[in-house]
Amino acid sequence: MSRNLTIESLGRQGDGVASSPDGPAHVPFTLPGETVTISDKGRRPRLERVIEASPLRREPVCRHFGECGGCRLQHFEIEAYREWKRGLVAEALARAGIETEIAPLKSFATASRRRAVFSAVRTAAGPKPGIVFGFQERDTNRIVDLAECPVLVPAIVERIEALRALCQVLAPGKGVMKLNVLASENGLDLAAETESRIAPKSTDRAIALAGESGFARLSVNGEILAQFRTPFLDFGGSAVAVPPGGFVQAVAAAEQAMAERVTSHLEDCKRVADLFCGAGTFALRLAAASEVHAIETDAAAIDALDRAWRGTGGRLKRITSERRDLFRRPMQPGELTGFDGLVFDPPRAGAQAQARELASSDIGKIAAVSCNPVTLARDLSLLVEGGYRVVSVLPLDQFVFTPHVEAVALLQR
């Protein structure tokens, strides 16, 4: 069934929102003020035609837009898009009753994402069985076969066919294989995940192909099959040998902007705690001026941080580390005695339990880094109730053309 609707606003996930007899209708790839025809088949309305377009509509920059589940907002005029994205942070803070300075959205070059997770699946068996390699379509199991991607760094885009060929060797007969690709400083680091065991013959072929293609490392299900060079990233002048498939910030320039904000805020602190520290994104930079105690649940990340610090040859101040699940066992106020600065950078769920404990601490300065404005606002409200003041918030557009927005909030007691 098809029907016409007028789009009234843009929702938090980037979909146009229209009133209908059945309640709000969320229509992908539409903009406020547009009159559109939609189809009600499937789980969500599907855009069939734009009858009257918004003056803010523009031509998408990628041929896969509308199918690929990665980008949702390429059709939105860039300055209006940026203001909307900054507004996601402002709206979340306002709902939590937090009043503070919110800086303009920090933007980055479009083709700058150095990390991506691809999907691969075999096509039906036949005379010429093949592979479909790319990103999943939104809300489906369908994979969009990738020909281009304007948001990835050239080092990845230029190797799409080589990555596809590798998946042709490794992908199981049934099911989807995931391929985590990181453009490190010295080559592509590949970490494949598959539910099926890979035959030795296929493993040998994959290793040979990885070597011929010039990849730095190939891992499958956490096991390193081949390492031609140790992939590393530069964290403020420290070389970090990242673990296979480990978390890193998706855009190097965004990581640098976050780190500059954090280190500037905490530069006069003598002893700093870095919670949810990962492999040392902030810890290694903070150690230029402060002693740092870094906490993370991932053992491989902690090991990478420790090796990177030891490899600096005494250039940095002491970094101690601890493996700990801060969701189940947050640091208590007594444990935080002696620290005059702290940074925390949790996953999307935020750090509610830890924020409650921080609110009772006597730490002078805190930097909160987040990839979710809603949980950030919740955690900040706990700190404000405990006597902290939010000095400023910087939103960052690390994932361009998506509704995901990062933010760095600075607080003082």
Side-chain angles (χ1 to χ4, degrees), residues 111-408:
S112 59
R113 200 178 304 177
R114 63 184 176 184
R115 175 173 59 85
V117 180
F118 298 97
S119 297
V121 66
R122 293 197 181 279
T123 55
K128 293 183 179 180
I131 199 85
V132 177
F133 171 82
F135 296 121
Q136 282 189 254
E137 185 177 339
R138 182 181 175 185
D139 297 329
T140 76
N141 292 324
R142 178 177 172 269
I143 297 172
V144 178
D145 205 32
L146 198 67
E148 66 180 21
C149 183
V151 302
L152 296 179
V153 293
I156 296 178
V157 177
E158 292 165 0
R159 309 313 304 280
I160 284 178
E161 292 310 312
L163 295 170
R164 190 191 310 276
L166 185 68
C167 290
Q168 177 76 58
V169 174
L170 288 174
K174 293 183 179 180
V176 177
M177 187 186 85
K178 299 290 186 181
L179 185 65
N180 189 314
V181 179
L182 170 67
S184 76
E185 298 289 342
N186 58 339
L188 297 190
D189 182 21
L190 314 181
E193 296 179 11
T194 175
E195 295 180 1
S196 303
R197 182 178 176 273
I198 298 173
K201 184 177 180 180
S202 295
T203 298
D204 292 342
R205 288 173 56 204
I207 292 172
L209 185 57
E212 293 167 7
S213 302
F215 297 139
R217 180 171 62 190
L218 172 63
S219 307
V220 176
N221 294 334
E223 178 186 356
I224 297 176
L225 298 187
Q227 183 163 293
F228 304 98
R229 299 175 299 284
T230 301
F232 76 93
L233 294 178
D234 184 342
F235 288 178
S238 299
V240 179
V242 292
F247 173 80
V248 299
Q249 296 292 346
V251 173
E255 174 189 277
Q256 181 63 27
M258 295 178 195
E260 288 175 357
R261 197 81 166 183
V262 169
T263 55
S264 176
H265 185 56
L266 303 178
E267 63 183 353
D268 59 348
C269 297
K270 294 182 178 180
R271 193 162 179 244
V272 175
D274 183 355
L275 310 187
F276 308 95
C277 67
T281 302
F282 301 118
L284 288 162
R285 291 171 165 99
L286 288 165
S290 313
E291 288 193 0
V292 180
H293 184 60
I295 300 180
E296 169 62 48
T297 189
D298 182 11
I302 283 289
D303 182 57
L305 165 58
D306 185 63
R307 284 186 283 110
W309 173 67
R310 294 180 187 281
T312 60
R315 176 176 58 84
L316 301 179
K317 294 195 174 184
R318 186 175 63 153
I319 298 178
T320 54
S321 57
E322 176 184 353
R323 186 184 179 194
R324 178 168 174 170
D325 186 339
L326 291 166
F327 291 107
R328 296 184 177 183
R329 195 161 63 91
M331 288 194 80
Q332 303 297 305
E335 296 177 279
L336 293 166
T337 301
F339 292 99
D340 49 351
L342 181 143
V343 55
F344 65 99
D345 182 12
R348 289 188 62 78
Q352 187 174 26
Q354 185 61 77
R356 284 198 183 99
E357 303 302 332
L358 290 176
S360 299
S361 75
D362 58 2
I363 292 176
K365 291 183 177 181
I366 292 177
V369 183
S370 173
C371 58
N372 185 341
V374 175
T375 56
L376 173 65
R378 179 201 64 201
D379 296 345
L380 292 182
S381 66
L382 292 171
L383 293 170
V384 170
E385 289 173 10
Y388 284 91
R389 176 173 63 90
V390 182
V391 178
S392 66
V393 176
L394 172 67
L396 304 101
D397 191 13
Q398 179 162 217
F399 295 92
V400 66
F401 303 135
T402 79
H404 300 297
V405 58
E406 321 280 319
V408 179

